[in-house]
Amino acid sequence: MAEVQDRAPLTAEPTTDTDTPDAAATNVRLTIEGMTCASCARRVERALARVPGVSEASVNLATERASVTFDPRAVTLADMEQAVARAGYGAQPIAAPAAELTTEAEPDGTPTDERGESDAGEPERDEAAERRQAELTRRRDTLLLGIALSIPVVVLSMFFMDRFPGENWLLLALTAPVWGYVGWDFHRTALRVVRHFGANMDVLVSLGSTAAFLMSVVATVAPGVVGATTFYDTTALIVTLIYLGRYLEARAKGQTGEAIRRLAGLRATVAHVVRDGREVDVPLARVRAGDELIVRPGEKIPTDGVVLAGASAVVVAMLSGESLRVETGGGCGVMGATINATGMLRVRASRVGADTMLAGIIRMVEQAQGSKAPIQRLADTVAGVFVPAVLVIALLTFIDWTVAGYVFGFQPAAAMDGATSSPWIVALVAGIAVLVVACPCALGLATPTAIMVGTGQGAESGVLIKGGESLERLRGVTTLVLDKTGTITRGKPELTDVIPASSVALTESELLALAAGAESASEHPLARAVVAGATARGIAPAGPVERFAAVPGGGVIARVAGRELLIGTRRLFAERGVATTANVEPLAAALEADGKTAMLVAVDGAVVGVLGVADTVKVGSAEAIARLGALGVAVWMVTGDNRRTAERVAAQVGIPAARVLAEVLPGAKAERVQRLRDESGGLVAFAGDGINDAPALAQADVGIAMGTGTDVAIETADVALVKGNLRSIVTALDLSRATLRVIRQNLFWAFAYNTVLIPIAIASPAIPALRESAPIFAAAAMALSSVTVVSNSLRLRRFSRREAA
């Protein structure tokens, strides 16, 4: 837990303030209203991309959101909203969550948020959730009305045809509300889109149902014009079945975002803050950085901070997935939303609102869920021309069957009775079936719903994947390069040996005091281990430090208390012309044979001893590497340590000596990664946690940052592991493969559905079972299509339960 205070929160791609005059690029997220299919998303995306000043626009049908990168000097939010409106849809910026509002202080010290509220009040309501639930309730009630009216329409049409006078007028009275009220969502959207010279799924549904309804009305009012046969049952079932599919799809899409809602629900709602020497309860949104908080046993820690007093065990499973409790005391960092299990803690708030670890995780997941995977490009391309193509196919179907009837005398299979045998009516029924059966929704939902669920489940398992492209690349990784320190090992080395050379007069204490004095000016983990080892032994570091220089990958050069010190590797000593003595070399070799890092020490140009530092292997590293091998991933280790130490550590976790890259300087890691990319011919991932790992993380096809690492490494990587252990890499790989498998299944279904059923609808007059009911079967199939895709994506929710098991 101690690392939290030194690490910036996990964040999505930084967003530039739109008010900054010289901002080069700004990203804004918009809520898009009125989209119903992939064609809609494609149309909105094109409309935004055409706005001068917009460099990139991505629209996600599943989340109903757009992410737009633009130059604020050339375009405004109003310009983008107008462009979306001209395309026939609505757009508005996504407001910041209440938990992310900036907190300020009133003159009397009482905290207030940007709205000016200062009372403790009630926790903020989730207005988005309330709107979503209200919309689902409205749709459910509308659907129930449609079902209640459609059932008698179908019964009368099937079993009581021409049984009593005025039957068609009764059917008209029952069907009109279904077509006009239940189907109004389709008609309204279709009118808006057509008015802007577009076409989407609602246009197809509206055209099909309206054609059947109007023909039935004419047959009822003036039977001599088109005959007496009506299609009220077709109208009612087209509207009701597709509305049922839309309702089920909305419910399922709501569940795809459940992971973010659960993460947001982890927040505490109230904090016990010490103000003017007394404890007061304030809402979380009004806690400020620097506030002193009281956290009692069993309570959630309100925000990220540092423990001032007290000791306790903290449950961090809700953020990192670690089931073990973490012992926490004075000076330790703690994360908001974790649970204080035992003792009382006094915590100084260090990060609040949007700056907390939890807010960063939510932001990263939202960014990932709104992204697109490369595999979606084909679906987007098809969606762009799908609806116009279906309209043309439906028109050609009508023309062809009309010609076949009037010119060639074709009679439909099991010829329809009476007026329905008229060729143009047969052709109209087939055309309606083509309009209704086509489903661009499945194409648009195939990829984003799977990415939403997959990245959400990853977040709950402690795996933060930054986007669909990262997810797809991760699935194809064949080689994984692991940095040793902090990735395979704990990254917290400890001083184990202080061995003066037999040829010098320095004692162990004098050697350690000089070494600790030189290392006290360094932030390197090995340096901290030496200083901590001296402190633990009751030895004060020598001083003052008059001059200090760190040599990356080598060691340190310093002047301490008037003496010149050189501490580090054999390579550093060779570069400085300091020869290692025969009585020191065996000591260093013995330490390295035990898997320890040997640090040579020279004073005034002469080698005086060697320090041994050990970094223990993380629990589960060997098991994880074995599982990665079973998944077909070749695992390599890279380190700046000498080969003897590196191979000893590699042997502990099951990495062959041939896959150990030892004595690699920090700047050369990226070069080694590129060399592996060239040699392997496959995708190479790199996992590390330090600032010096950032170039290698960027060079790799997939960069994986351990959650215990620096903010630079985390920002550079494609995947961040909150747990910081190698088992999370296995989880990430399994999740990426499962998600891509579901995406492929969804795309196969979407393409196969349209490829098979559109031709069947075209040929329906020649198929006995579909002679009059083709539009009804088409509506049922179309409703089933999008629901099937979303439901298949929801299977990924079992992933976290499987991992937990």
Side-chain angles (χ1 to χ4, degrees):
M1 299 291 290
E3 300 87 354
V4 176
Q5 59 185 325
D6 300 322
R7 186 171 75 249
L10 298 171
T11 61
E13 183 176 340
T15 299
T16 308
D17 189 347
T18 55
D19 296 329
T20 305
D22 57 350
T26 298
N27 182 270
V28 67
R29 290 185 300 150
L30 306 172
T31 297
I32 306 298
E33 300 171 351
M35 293 193 303
T36 58
C37 67
S39 297
C40 299
R42 184 72 170 171
R43 182 175 175 81
V44 174
E45 198 169 87
R46 284 200 303 264
L48 287 169
R50 289 171 182 160
V51 177
V54 171
S55 57
E56 183 179 359
S58 176
V59 178
N60 189 306
L61 175 62
T63 59
E64 298 179 347
R65 291 181 176 181
S67 176
V68 186
T69 302
F70 66 101
D71 183 350
R73 297 167 297 187
V75 62
T76 65
L77 285 174
D79 295 331
M80 289 182 275
E81 291 172 2
Q82 291 171 7
V84 174
R86 286 193 297 270
Y89 304 89
Q92 57 182 358
I94 298 175
E100 297 186 9
L101 290 172
T102 304
T103 54
E104 310 176 330
E106 293 181 349
D108 63 357
T110 306
T112 178
D113 62 19
E114 291 177 346
R115 292 179 300 269
E117 299 167 337
S118 59
D119 58 297
E122 297 296 325
E124 295 284 346
R125 293 182 304 154
D126 188 345
E127 295 182 359
E130 290 179 359
R131 287 196 301 270
R132 186 168 50 250
Q133 186 57 47
E135 176 63 14
L136 278 177
T137 301
R138 182 191 71 81
R139 291 192 178 194
R140 182 201 61 197
D141 294 342
T142 303
L143 174 63
L144 291 176
L145 174 63
I147 293 173
L149 293 174
S150 296
I151 290 176
V153 171
V154 173
V155 171
L156 288 172
S157 299
M158 292 182 64
F159 304 109
F160 296 95
M161 287 294 292
D162 302 323
R163 295 290 182 88
F164 57 89
E167 178 185 2
N168 283 347
W169 289 98
L170 177 58
L171 290 172
L172 172 59
L174 292 171
T175 306
V178 177
W179 173 81
Y181 180 75
V182 179
W184 176 240
D185 284 353
F186 304 128
H187 306 318
R188 178 182 55 194
T189 304
L191 289 171
R192 185 176 65 240
V193 172
V194 170
R195 189 169 64 248
H196 293 87
F197 306 101
N200 66 353
M201 188 202 77
D202 291 293
V203 173
L204 302 180
V205 175
S206 182
L207 273 177
S209 61
T210 300
F213 180 69
L214 292 182
M215 191 173 72
S216 301
V217 171
V218 172
T220 300
V221 176
V225 177
V226 296
T229 301
T230 60
F231 293 90
Y232 289 119
D233 54 340
T234 300
T235 303
L237 287 177
I238 286 175
V239 172
T240 302
L241 287 174
I242 295 178
Y243 198 92
L244 170 63
R246 187 72 62 84
Y247 171 71
L248 294 176
E249 177 188 321
R251 284 192 57 181
K253 282 167 63 178
Q255 294 174 32
T256 62
E258 190 64 31
I260 284 184
R261 289 192 288 275
R262 281 198 294 265
L263 286 170
L266 294 175
R267 297 187 183 104
T269 56
V270 175
H272 311 307
V273 182
V274 177
R275 296 263 168 82
D276 299 325
R278 63 188 183 91
E279 181 183 328
V280 295
D281 290 349
V282 300
L284 180 64
R286 299 182 181 92
V287 175
R288 299 165 301 183
D291 277 344
E292 184 177 327
L293 313 176
I294 303 295
V295 187
R296 296 182 174 82
E299 294 181 339
K300 288 183 179 180
I301 296 174
T303 190
D304 297 357
V306 180
V307 176
L308 299 176
S312 180
V314 176
V315 181
V316 298
M318 60 288 302
L319 288 187
S320 71
E322 296 286 1
S323 58
L324 298 178
R325 296 180 176 184
V326 177
E327 296 300 325
T328 302
C332 291
V334 291
M335 293 182 289
T338 56
I339 297 176
N340 177 25
T342 53
M344 188 175 81
L345 297 175
R346 297 178 76 90
V347 177
R348 176 80 67 193
S350 59
R351 292 197 298 264
V352 298
D355 296 327
T356 63
M357 169 74 81
L358 178 60
I361 290 174
I362 293 173
R363 230 178 356 257
M364 185 180 290
V365 175
E366 286 178 336
Q367 179 195 28
Q369 292 187 344
S371 66
K372 289 187 178 182
I375 197 173
Q376 190 177 343
R377 291 171 186 157
L378 176 60
D380 286 346
T381 302
V382 173
V385 298
F386 186 87
V387 173
V390 169
L391 289 171
V392 172
I393 292 171
L395 179 61
L396 292 177
T397 299
F398 174 77
I399 294 172
D400 288 348
W401 283 115
T402 301
V403 171
Y406 284 114
V407 177
F408 300 103
F410 171 80
Q411 289 296 315
M416 304 177 187
D417 296 329
T420 57
S421 61
S422 175
W424 76 271
I425 294 180
V426 172
L428 181 62
V429 171
I432 291 172
V434 171
L435 290 174
V436 173
V437 79
C439 185
C441 286
L443 289 172
L445 295 170
T447 299
T449 53
I451 289 177
M452 283 185 69
V453 181
T455 54
Q457 295 307 115
E460 292 188 347
S461 300
V463 176
L464 306 178
I465 301 173
K466 294 189 177 180
E469 187 172 353
S470 300
L471 186 73
E472 187 169 339
R473 286 202 307 266
L474 181 60
R475 183 257 176 203
V477 165
T478 56
T479 302
L480 172 64
V481 182
L482 301 174
D483 183 55
K484 178 181 77 70
T485 304
T487 303
I488 295 176
T489 63
R490 294 175 62 245
K492 297 179 181 179
E494 297 177 356
L495 181 68
T496 57
D497 300 89
V498 181
I499 309 175
S502 58
S503 60
V504 300
L506 281 178
T507 65
E508 181 178 316
S509 297
E510 291 170 335
L511 172 62
L512 183 55
L514 286 170
E519 297 286 15
S520 65
S522 173
E523 288 298 316
H524 194 281
L526 294 180
R528 288 200 292 262
V530 173
V531 175
T535 303
R537 291 167 172 77
I539 299 173
V545 179
E546 299 160 1
R547 186 177 65 252
F548 174 85
V551 180
V556 300
I557 304 169
R559 182 178 179 85
V560 179
R563 310 190 71 173
E564 298 290 337
L565 269 77
L566 183 66
I567 306 174
T569 64
R570 293 180 182 85
R571 183 173 61 242
L572 176 64
F573 273 54
E575 291 172 353
R576 295 289 165 173
V578 179
T580 57
T581 58
N583 58 347
V584 170
E585 185 61 38
L587 299 175
L591 292 173
E592 292 165 352
D594 287 337
K596 300 176 182 178
T597 298
M599 302 169 63
L600 302 179
V601 182
V603 178
D604 296 329
V607 178
V608 297
V610 61
L611 305 179
V613 177
D615 188 7
T616 57
V617 171
K618 290 181 180 179
V619 176
S621 291
E623 174 195 353
I625 289 171
R627 289 182 61 187
L628 287 167
L631 292 172
V633 178
V635 181
W636 291 66
M637 185 182 83
V638 63
T639 179
D641 275 342
N642 66 82
R643 175 156 291 278
R644 189 182 292 115
T645 300
E647 290 182 355
R648 181 61 183 266
V649 173
Q652 294 179 39
V653 295
I655 297 177
R659 292 182 183 167
V660 175
L661 305 174
E663 301 178 25
V664 178
L665 294 175
K669 290 180 182 178
E671 178 186 339
R672 293 299 184 96
V673 169
Q674 182 58 48
R675 189 181 304 172
L676 282 174
R677 291 178 67 188
D678 295 338
E679 294 173 355
S680 68
L683 297 183
V684 176
F686 179 87
D689 71 334
I691 291 177
N692 59 19
D693 292 328
L697 289 167
Q699 185 67 49
D701 294 294
V702 180
I704 303 174
M706 312 306 286
T708 52
T710 64
D711 57 317
V712 176
I714 290 170
E715 289 296 334
T716 306
D718 301 292
V719 180
L721 308 179
V722 177
K723 297 181 187 180
N725 62 50
L726 293 185
R727 286 177 294 198
S728 293
I729 297 182
V730 179
T731 300
L733 193 60
D734 282 341
L735 178 63
S736 67
R737 294 183 176 186
T739 303
L740 266 293
R741 186 164 54 248
V742 167
I743 289 175
R744 287 191 170 92
Q745 291 168 354
N746 287 347
L747 288 174
F748 173 80
W749 167 258
F751 281 111
Y753 166 87
N754 287 291
T755 301
V756 172
L757 291 189
I758 290 179
I760 291 177
I762 294 172
S764 58
I767 302 174
L770 299 178
R771 57 188 182 127
E772 292 184 21
S773 57
I776 297 174
F777 283 110
M782 187 270 191
L784 179 65
S785 178
S786 55
V787 174
T788 300
V789 165
V790 177
S791 299
N792 189 47
S793 297
L794 289 175
R795 292 191 304 112
L796 287 169
R797 294 195 301 173
R798 304 173 190 167
F799 182 86
S800 60
R801 292 194 289 271
R802 185 169 68 247
E803 287 297 305

